[in-house]
mmCIF file of all heavy atoms in Angstrom:
data_model
loop_
_atom_site.group_PDB
_atom_site.id
_atom_site.type_symbol
_atom_site.label_atom_id
_atom_site.label_comp_id
_atom_site.label_asym_id
_atom_site.label_seq_id
_atom_site.Cartn_x
_atom_site.Cartn_y
_atom_site.Cartn_z
ATOM 1 N N GLU A 123 -65.871 7.460 -64.019
ATOM 2 C CA GLU A 123 -65.327 7.372 -65.412
ATOM 3 C C GLU A 123 -64.195 8.388 -65.464
ATOM 4 O O GLU A 123 -64.237 9.493 -64.942
ATOM 5 C CB GLU A 123 -66.322 7.639 -66.463
ATOM 6 C CG GLU A 123 -67.460 6.552 -66.476
ATOM 7 C CD GLU A 123 -68.563 6.889 -67.405
ATOM 8 O OE1 GLU A 123 -68.884 8.078 -67.562
ATOM 9 O OE2 GLU A 123 -69.053 5.995 -68.137
ATOM 10 N N PHE A 124 -63.110 7.998 -66.288
ATOM 11 C CA PHE A 124 -61.993 8.863 -66.315
ATOM 12 C C PHE A 124 -61.701 9.243 -67.755
ATOM 13 O O PHE A 124 -62.029 8.495 -68.715
ATOM 14 C CB PHE A 124 -60.719 8.099 -65.815
ATOM 15 C CG PHE A 124 -60.877 7.743 -64.372
ATOM 16 C CD1 PHE A 124 -61.393 6.541 -64.033
ATOM 17 C CD2 PHE A 124 -60.526 8.590 -63.308
ATOM 18 C CE1 PHE A 124 -61.571 6.054 -62.671
ATOM 19 C CE2 PHE A 124 -60.637 8.178 -62.035
ATOM 20 C CZ PHE A 124 -61.196 6.946 -61.704
ATOM 21 N N ALA A 125 -61.149 10.400 -67.952
ATOM 22 C CA ALA A 125 -60.820 10.902 -69.323
ATOM 23 C C ALA A 125 -59.615 11.824 -69.236
ATOM 24 O O ALA A 125 -59.262 12.351 -68.194
ATOM 25 C CB ALA A 125 -62.012 11.644 -69.910
ATOM 26 N N ALA A 126 -58.943 11.979 -70.366
ATOM 27 C CA ALA A 126 -57.799 12.879 -70.529
ATOM 28 C C ALA A 126 -57.944 13.679 -71.741
ATOM 29 O O ALA A 126 -58.372 13.181 -72.833
ATOM 30 C CB ALA A 126 -56.548 12.095 -70.525
ATOM 31 N N ASP A 127 -57.695 15.036 -71.674
ATOM 32 C CA ASP A 127 -57.638 15.871 -72.831
ATOM 33 C C ASP A 127 -56.249 15.826 -73.399
ATOM 34 O O ASP A 127 -55.268 16.219 -72.652
ATOM 35 C CB ASP A 127 -58.051 17.314 -72.501
ATOM 36 C CG ASP A 127 -59.524 17.438 -72.084
ATOM 37 O OD1 ASP A 127 -60.234 16.398 -72.311
ATOM 38 O OD2 ASP A 127 -59.913 18.525 -71.664
ATOM 39 N N VAL A 128 -56.113 15.349 -74.672
ATOM 40 C CA VAL A 128 -54.738 15.086 -75.188
ATOM 41 C C VAL A 128 -54.555 15.830 -76.497
ATOM 42 O O VAL A 128 -55.537 16.038 -77.216
ATOM 43 C CB VAL A 128 -54.604 13.578 -75.435
ATOM 44 C CG1 VAL A 128 -53.188 13.245 -75.815
ATOM 45 C CG2 VAL A 128 -54.972 12.747 -74.185
ATOM 46 N N ARG A 129 -53.338 16.175 -76.866
ATOM 47 C CA ARG A 129 -53.002 16.816 -78.101
ATOM 48 C C ARG A 129 -51.588 16.383 -78.495
ATOM 49 O O ARG A 129 -50.858 15.833 -77.687
ATOM 50 C CB ARG A 129 -53.024 18.323 -77.935
ATOM 51 C CG ARG A 129 -52.035 18.944 -76.998
ATOM 52 C CD ARG A 129 -52.217 20.435 -76.757
ATOM 53 N NE ARG A 129 -51.231 20.981 -75.848
ATOM 54 C CZ ARG A 129 -51.309 22.165 -75.330
ATOM 55 N NH1 ARG A 129 -52.247 22.991 -75.641
ATOM 56 N NH2 ARG A 129 -50.319 22.608 -74.506
ATOM 57 N N TYR A 130 -51.255 16.700 -79.801
ATOM 58 C CA TYR A 130 -49.825 16.627 -80.091
ATOM 59 C C TYR A 130 -49.175 17.889 -79.534
ATOM 60 O O TYR A 130 -49.764 18.957 -79.571
ATOM 61 C CB TYR A 130 -49.677 16.604 -81.675
ATOM 62 C CG TYR A 130 -50.085 15.321 -82.268
ATOM 63 C CD1 TYR A 130 -51.120 15.258 -83.268
ATOM 64 C CD2 TYR A 130 -49.533 14.126 -81.908
ATOM 65 C CE1 TYR A 130 -51.435 14.065 -83.853
ATOM 66 C CE2 TYR A 130 -49.864 12.888 -82.516
ATOM 67 C CZ TYR A 130 -50.841 12.892 -83.525
ATOM 68 O OH TYR A 130 -51.267 11.742 -84.115
ATOM 69 N N HIS A 131 -47.963 17.726 -79.056
ATOM 70 C CA HIS A 131 -47.227 18.850 -78.596
ATOM 71 C C HIS A 131 -47.159 19.989 -79.565
ATOM 72 O O HIS A 131 -46.754 19.774 -80.740
ATOM 73 C CB HIS A 131 -45.798 18.466 -78.140
ATOM 74 C CG HIS A 131 -44.947 19.602 -77.637
ATOM 75 N ND1 HIS A 131 -45.295 20.273 -76.459
ATOM 76 C CD2 HIS A 131 -43.828 20.183 -78.034
ATOM 77 C CE1 HIS A 131 -44.419 21.210 -76.245
ATOM 78 N NE2 HIS A 131 -43.507 21.186 -77.167
ATOM 79 N N GLY A 132 -47.657 21.183 -79.250
ATOM 80 C CA GLY A 132 -47.631 22.319 -80.126
ATOM 81 C C GLY A 132 -48.987 22.638 -80.717
ATOM 82 O O GLY A 132 -49.202 23.665 -81.268
ATOM 83 N N GLN A 133 -49.927 21.613 -80.624
ATOM 84 C CA GLN A 133 -51.285 21.897 -81.134
ATOM 85 C C GLN A 133 -52.013 22.855 -80.261
ATOM 86 O O GLN A 133 -51.705 22.936 -79.009
ATOM 87 C CB GLN A 133 -52.104 20.624 -81.138
ATOM 88 C CG GLN A 133 -51.900 19.776 -82.492
ATOM 89 C CD GLN A 133 -52.812 18.598 -82.576
ATOM 90 O OE1 GLN A 133 -53.150 17.977 -81.543
ATOM 91 N NE2 GLN A 133 -53.308 18.280 -83.730
ATOM 92 N N GLY A 134 -52.929 23.574 -80.799
ATOM 93 C CA GLY A 134 -53.742 24.582 -80.078
ATOM 94 C C GLY A 134 -55.061 24.120 -79.563
ATOM 95 O O GLY A 134 -55.870 24.875 -79.068
ATOM 96 N N PHE A 135 -55.316 22.875 -79.697
ATOM 97 C CA PHE A 135 -56.618 22.252 -79.221
ATOM 98 C C PHE A 135 -56.373 20.904 -78.699
ATOM 99 O O PHE A 135 -55.333 20.217 -79.014
ATOM 100 C CB PHE A 135 -57.599 22.297 -80.368
ATOM 101 C CG PHE A 135 -57.240 21.395 -81.531
ATOM 102 C CD1 PHE A 135 -57.552 20.021 -81.529
ATOM 103 C CD2 PHE A 135 -56.487 21.953 -82.566
ATOM 104 C CE1 PHE A 135 -57.249 19.260 -82.589
ATOM 105 C CE2 PHE A 135 -56.125 21.124 -83.653
ATOM 106 C CZ PHE A 135 -56.422 19.822 -83.721
ATOM 107 N N GLU A 136 -57.350 20.347 -77.894
ATOM 108 C CA GLU A 136 -57.165 19.047 -77.387
ATOM 109 C C GLU A 136 -58.354 18.234 -77.776
ATOM 110 O O GLU A 136 -59.425 18.708 -78.200
ATOM 111 C CB GLU A 136 -57.084 18.988 -75.842
ATOM 112 C CG GLU A 136 -55.983 19.824 -75.264
ATOM 113 C CD GLU A 136 -56.307 21.299 -75.231
ATOM 114 O OE1 GLU A 136 -57.390 21.664 -74.690
ATOM 115 O OE2 GLU A 136 -55.467 22.114 -75.646
ATOM 116 N N ILE A 137 -58.214 16.867 -77.695
ATOM 117 C CA ILE A 137 -59.277 15.957 -77.936
ATOM 118 C C ILE A 137 -59.499 15.139 -76.710
ATOM 119 O O ILE A 137 -58.609 14.591 -76.165
ATOM 120 C CB ILE A 137 -58.951 14.950 -79.107
ATOM 121 C CG1 ILE A 137 -58.705 15.749 -80.372
ATOM 122 C CG2 ILE A 137 -60.067 13.923 -79.282
ATOM 123 C CD1 ILE A 137 -58.263 14.863 -81.572
ATOM 124 N N PRO A 138 -60.725 15.140 -76.155
ATOM 125 C CA PRO A 138 -60.987 14.307 -75.001
ATOM 126 C C PRO A 138 -61.006 12.811 -75.278
ATOM 127 O O PRO A 138 -61.609 12.341 -76.219
ATOM 128 C CB PRO A 138 -62.400 14.797 -74.495
ATOM 129 C CG PRO A 138 -63.040 15.360 -75.790
ATOM 130 C CD PRO A 138 -61.901 15.916 -76.619
ATOM 131 N N ILE A 139 -60.282 12.055 -74.446
ATOM 132 C CA ILE A 139 -60.106 10.615 -74.669
ATOM 133 C C ILE A 139 -60.506 9.880 -73.372
ATOM 134 O O ILE A 139 -59.941 10.090 -72.358
ATOM 135 C CB ILE A 139 -58.597 10.274 -74.980
ATOM 136 C CG1 ILE A 139 -58.060 11.043 -76.259
ATOM 137 C CG2 ILE A 139 -58.441 8.771 -75.193
ATOM 138 C CD1 ILE A 139 -58.816 10.687 -77.526
ATOM 139 N N PRO A 140 -61.462 8.981 -73.511
ATOM 140 C CA PRO A 140 -61.876 8.137 -72.357
ATOM 141 C C PRO A 140 -60.670 7.209 -72.056
ATOM 142 O O PRO A 140 -60.099 6.662 -72.979
ATOM 143 C CB PRO A 140 -63.116 7.383 -72.799
ATOM 144 C CG PRO A 140 -63.656 8.172 -74.022
ATOM 145 C CD PRO A 140 -62.413 8.778 -74.678
ATOM 146 N N VAL A 141 -60.380 6.973 -70.762
ATOM 147 C CA VAL A 141 -59.303 6.073 -70.391
ATOM 148 C C VAL A 141 -59.799 5.129 -69.334
ATOM 149 O O VAL A 141 -60.713 5.375 -68.567
ATOM 150 C CB VAL A 141 -58.117 6.895 -69.887
ATOM 151 C CG1 VAL A 141 -57.521 7.802 -70.985
ATOM 152 C CG2 VAL A 141 -58.452 7.673 -68.648
ATOM 153 N N ASP A 142 -59.117 3.981 -69.263
ATOM 154 C CA ASP A 142 -59.368 2.896 -68.235
ATOM 155 C C ASP A 142 -58.391 3.090 -67.136
ATOM 156 O O ASP A 142 -57.172 2.997 -67.301
ATOM 157 C CB ASP A 142 -59.210 1.563 -68.909
ATOM 158 C CG ASP A 142 -59.473 0.407 -67.955
ATOM 159 O OD1 ASP A 142 -59.853 0.744 -66.770
ATOM 160 O OD2 ASP A 142 -59.308 -0.771 -68.283
ATOM 161 N N ARG A 143 -58.967 3.464 -65.911
ATOM 162 C CA ARG A 143 -58.081 3.658 -64.789
ATOM 163 C C ARG A 143 -57.244 2.464 -64.460
ATOM 164 O O ARG A 143 -56.037 2.599 -64.057
ATOM 165 C CB ARG A 143 -58.954 4.033 -63.539
ATOM 166 C CG ARG A 143 -58.330 3.955 -62.247
ATOM 167 C CD ARG A 143 -57.143 4.925 -62.026
ATOM 168 N NE ARG A 143 -56.515 4.758 -60.785
ATOM 169 C CZ ARG A 143 -55.592 3.804 -60.527
ATOM 170 N NH1 ARG A 143 -55.225 2.970 -61.502
ATOM 171 N NH2 ARG A 143 -55.039 3.700 -59.352
ATOM 172 N N GLU A 144 -57.691 1.291 -64.638
ATOM 173 C CA GLU A 144 -56.947 0.104 -64.219
ATOM 174 C C GLU A 144 -55.687 -0.100 -65.151
ATOM 175 O O GLU A 144 -54.740 -0.766 -64.777
ATOM 176 C CB GLU A 144 -57.826 -1.107 -64.380
ATOM 177 C CG GLU A 144 -58.979 -1.172 -63.352
ATOM 178 C CD GLU A 144 -59.733 -2.459 -63.423
ATOM 179 O OE1 GLU A 144 -59.512 -3.329 -64.356
ATOM 180 O OE2 GLU A 144 -60.766 -2.585 -62.655
ATOM 181 N N ALA A 145 -55.680 0.497 -66.330
ATOM 182 C CA ALA A 145 -54.566 0.330 -67.222
ATOM 183 C C ALA A 145 -53.330 0.996 -66.663
ATOM 184 O O ALA A 145 -52.192 0.703 -67.073
ATOM 185 C CB ALA A 145 -54.868 0.967 -68.571
ATOM 186 N N PHE A 146 -53.503 1.940 -65.751
ATOM 187 C CA PHE A 146 -52.394 2.709 -65.125
ATOM 188 C C PHE A 146 -51.738 2.004 -63.956
ATOM 189 O O PHE A 146 -50.801 2.488 -63.312
ATOM 190 C CB PHE A 146 -52.858 4.103 -64.769
ATOM 191 C CG PHE A 146 -53.184 4.933 -65.891
ATOM 192 C CD1 PHE A 146 -54.491 4.931 -66.439
ATOM 193 C CD2 PHE A 146 -52.221 5.733 -66.545
ATOM 194 C CE1 PHE A 146 -54.823 5.715 -67.543
ATOM 195 C CE2 PHE A 146 -52.541 6.504 -67.622
ATOM 196 C CZ PHE A 146 -53.802 6.461 -68.148
ATOM 197 N N ASP A 147 -52.286 0.775 -63.559
ATOM 198 C CA ASP A 147 -51.700 0.073 -62.442
ATOM 199 C C ASP A 147 -50.408 -0.650 -62.916
ATOM 200 O O ASP A 147 -49.603 -1.090 -62.072
ATOM 201 C CB ASP A 147 -52.691 -0.962 -61.916
ATOM 202 C CG ASP A 147 -53.815 -0.285 -61.189
ATOM 203 O OD1 ASP A 147 -53.617 0.881 -60.645
ATOM 204 O OD2 ASP A 147 -54.891 -0.843 -61.065
ATOM 205 N N GLY A 148 -50.195 -0.844 -64.210
ATOM 206 C CA GLY A 148 -48.997 -1.474 -64.805
ATOM 207 C C GLY A 148 -48.169 -0.377 -65.513
ATOM 208 O O GLY A 148 -48.733 0.278 -66.394
ATOM 209 N N GLU A 149 -46.919 -0.182 -65.124
ATOM 210 C CA GLU A 149 -46.119 0.943 -65.644
ATOM 211 C C GLU A 149 -46.085 0.813 -67.189
ATOM 212 O O GLU A 149 -45.650 -0.203 -67.734
ATOM 213 C CB GLU A 149 -44.738 0.850 -65.025
ATOM 214 C CG GLU A 149 -43.966 2.148 -65.320
ATOM 215 C CD GLU A 149 -44.609 3.383 -64.685
ATOM 216 O OE1 GLU A 149 -45.160 3.257 -63.573
ATOM 217 O OE2 GLU A 149 -44.662 4.411 -65.340
ATOM 218 N N GLY A 150 -46.473 1.877 -67.884
ATOM 219 C CA GLY A 150 -46.349 2.015 -69.351
ATOM 220 C C GLY A 150 -47.629 1.686 -70.087
ATOM 221 O O GLY A 150 -47.849 2.235 -71.217
ATOM 222 N N ALA A 151 -48.503 0.810 -69.510
ATOM 223 C CA ALA A 151 -49.642 0.367 -70.242
ATOM 224 C C ALA A 151 -50.667 1.509 -70.407
ATOM 225 O O ALA A 151 -51.265 1.688 -71.468
ATOM 226 C CB ALA A 151 -50.312 -0.841 -69.511
ATOM 227 N N GLY A 152 -50.771 2.351 -69.317
ATOM 228 C CA GLY A 152 -51.800 3.433 -69.456
ATOM 229 C C GLY A 152 -51.427 4.514 -70.371
ATOM 230 O O GLY A 152 -52.287 5.020 -71.241
ATOM 231 N N LEU A 153 -50.189 4.938 -70.383
ATOM 232 C CA LEU A 153 -49.679 5.933 -71.321
ATOM 233 C C LEU A 153 -49.763 5.477 -72.741
ATOM 234 O O LEU A 153 -50.117 6.232 -73.690
ATOM 235 C CB LEU A 153 -48.238 6.326 -70.972
ATOM 236 C CG LEU A 153 -47.991 6.968 -69.650
ATOM 237 C CD1 LEU A 153 -46.514 7.264 -69.397
ATOM 238 C CD2 LEU A 153 -48.867 8.195 -69.444
ATOM 239 N N SER A 154 -49.456 4.216 -72.956
ATOM 240 C CA SER A 154 -49.520 3.644 -74.311
ATOM 241 C C SER A 154 -51.005 3.600 -74.787
ATOM 242 O O SER A 154 -51.311 3.913 -75.942
ATOM 243 C CB SER A 154 -48.975 2.230 -74.367
ATOM 244 O OG SER A 154 -49.156 1.622 -75.579
ATOM 245 N N ALA A 155 -51.927 3.284 -73.897
ATOM 246 C CA ALA A 155 -53.345 3.283 -74.238
ATOM 247 C C ALA A 155 -53.902 4.692 -74.558
ATOM 248 O O ALA A 155 -54.624 4.854 -75.528
ATOM 249 C CB ALA A 155 -54.166 2.702 -73.076
ATOM 250 N N ILE A 156 -53.378 5.758 -73.849
ATOM 251 C CA ILE A 156 -53.751 7.060 -74.199
ATOM 252 C C ILE A 156 -53.252 7.465 -75.538
ATOM 253 O O ILE A 156 -54.028 8.038 -76.409
ATOM 254 C CB ILE A 156 -53.236 8.026 -73.115
ATOM 255 C CG1 ILE A 156 -53.960 7.980 -71.799
ATOM 256 C CG2 ILE A 156 -53.194 9.450 -73.621
ATOM 257 C CD1 ILE A 156 -53.417 8.905 -70.691
ATOM 258 N N ALA A 157 -52.042 7.208 -75.881
ATOM 259 C CA ALA A 157 -51.470 7.526 -77.123
ATOM 260 C C ALA A 157 -52.267 6.786 -78.284
ATOM 261 O O ALA A 157 -52.569 7.460 -79.372
ATOM 262 C CB ALA A 157 -50.011 7.170 -77.265
ATOM 263 N N SER A 158 -52.496 5.576 -78.112
ATOM 264 C CA SER A 158 -53.213 4.790 -79.177
ATOM 265 C C SER A 158 -54.670 5.318 -79.395
ATOM 266 O O SER A 158 -55.084 5.476 -80.511
ATOM 267 C CB SER A 158 -53.232 3.278 -78.788
ATOM 268 O OG SER A 158 -53.992 2.537 -79.732
ATOM 269 N N ALA A 159 -55.389 5.526 -78.281
ATOM 270 C CA ALA A 159 -56.768 5.994 -78.375
ATOM 271 C C ALA A 159 -56.769 7.429 -79.083
ATOM 272 O O ALA A 159 -57.660 7.750 -79.888
ATOM 273 C CB ALA A 159 -57.423 6.095 -77.065
ATOM 274 N N PHE A 160 -55.772 8.330 -78.703
ATOM 275 C CA PHE A 160 -55.711 9.654 -79.268
ATOM 276 C C PHE A 160 -55.440 9.519 -80.812
ATOM 277 O O PHE A 160 -56.126 10.256 -81.603
ATOM 278 C CB PHE A 160 -54.695 10.438 -78.685
ATOM 279 C CG PHE A 160 -54.421 11.761 -79.267
ATOM 280 C CD1 PHE A 160 -55.253 12.851 -79.054
ATOM 281 C CD2 PHE A 160 -53.384 11.956 -80.159
ATOM 282 C CE1 PHE A 160 -55.032 14.080 -79.671
ATOM 283 C CE2 PHE A 160 -53.126 13.168 -80.850
ATOM 284 C CZ PHE A 160 -54.007 14.253 -80.570
ATOM 285 N N ASP A 161 -54.538 8.701 -81.216
ATOM 286 C CA ASP A 161 -54.198 8.562 -82.590
ATOM 287 C C ASP A 161 -55.411 8.014 -83.439
ATOM 288 O O ASP A 161 -55.711 8.512 -84.527
ATOM 289 C CB ASP A 161 -53.048 7.579 -82.855
ATOM 290 C CG ASP A 161 -51.708 8.199 -82.442
ATOM 291 O OD1 ASP A 161 -51.648 9.361 -82.281
ATOM 292 O OD2 ASP A 161 -50.769 7.365 -82.303
ATOM 293 N N THR A 162 -56.142 7.148 -82.859
ATOM 294 C CA THR A 162 -57.366 6.601 -83.486
ATOM 295 C C THR A 162 -58.367 7.702 -83.756
ATOM 296 O O THR A 162 -58.979 7.879 -84.814
ATOM 297 C CB THR A 162 -57.921 5.465 -82.700
ATOM 298 O OG1 THR A 162 -56.999 4.436 -82.599
ATOM 299 C CG2 THR A 162 -59.203 4.937 -83.365
ATOM 300 N N GLU A 163 -58.596 8.478 -82.658
ATOM 301 C CA GLU A 163 -59.655 9.577 -82.760
ATOM 302 C C GLU A 163 -59.194 10.692 -83.630
ATOM 303 O O GLU A 163 -59.898 11.295 -84.414
ATOM 304 C CB GLU A 163 -59.881 10.071 -81.342
ATOM 305 C CG GLU A 163 -60.992 11.137 -81.217
ATOM 306 C CD GLU A 163 -62.442 10.506 -81.500
ATOM 307 O OE1 GLU A 163 -62.476 9.289 -81.758
ATOM 308 O OE2 GLU A 163 -63.372 11.321 -81.494
ATOM 309 N N HIS A 164 -57.890 11.027 -83.583
ATOM 310 C CA HIS A 164 -57.329 12.082 -84.453
ATOM 311 C C HIS A 164 -57.405 11.727 -85.916
ATOM 312 O O HIS A 164 -57.821 12.502 -86.753
ATOM 313 C CB HIS A 164 -55.915 12.390 -84.084
ATOM 314 C CG HIS A 164 -55.329 13.712 -84.654
ATOM 315 N ND1 HIS A 164 -54.912 13.808 -85.895
ATOM 316 C CD2 HIS A 164 -55.177 14.932 -84.007
ATOM 317 C CE1 HIS A 164 -54.528 15.033 -86.089
ATOM 318 N NE2 HIS A 164 -54.683 15.735 -84.924
ATOM 319 N N ASP A 165 -57.150 10.427 -86.225
ATOM 320 C CA ASP A 165 -57.191 9.992 -87.628
ATOM 321 C C ASP A 165 -58.676 9.999 -88.100
ATOM 322 O O ASP A 165 -58.900 10.366 -89.272
ATOM 323 C CB ASP A 165 -56.590 8.558 -87.720
ATOM 324 C CG ASP A 165 -56.523 8.146 -89.102
ATOM 325 O OD1 ASP A 165 -55.912 8.851 -90.003
ATOM 326 O OD2 ASP A 165 -57.045 6.999 -89.434
#
């Protein structure tokens, strides 16, 4: 299983976000999924 600790640039803490490794086989899809999952969790 894969995960990324993500934050808004300048924040002093991160939120761990589970990610799907296969999403990174297509350029742009993985990064977009990270941003979307982080926004959902942050909200």
Side-chain angles (χ1 to χ4, degrees):
E123 297 173 321
F124 301 91
D127 292 352
V128 188
R129 66 186 179 189
Y130 288 123
H131 179 62
Q133 273 186 325
F135 61 90
E136 300 84 48
I137 299 175
I139 302 297
V141 299
D142 180 2
R143 164 62 184 83
E144 294 182 359
F146 292 87
D147 290 335
E149 193 62 41
L153 297 179
S154 176
I156 285 180
S158 177
F160 173 81
D161 286 345
T162 299
E163 186 70 0
H164 195 281
D165 186 53

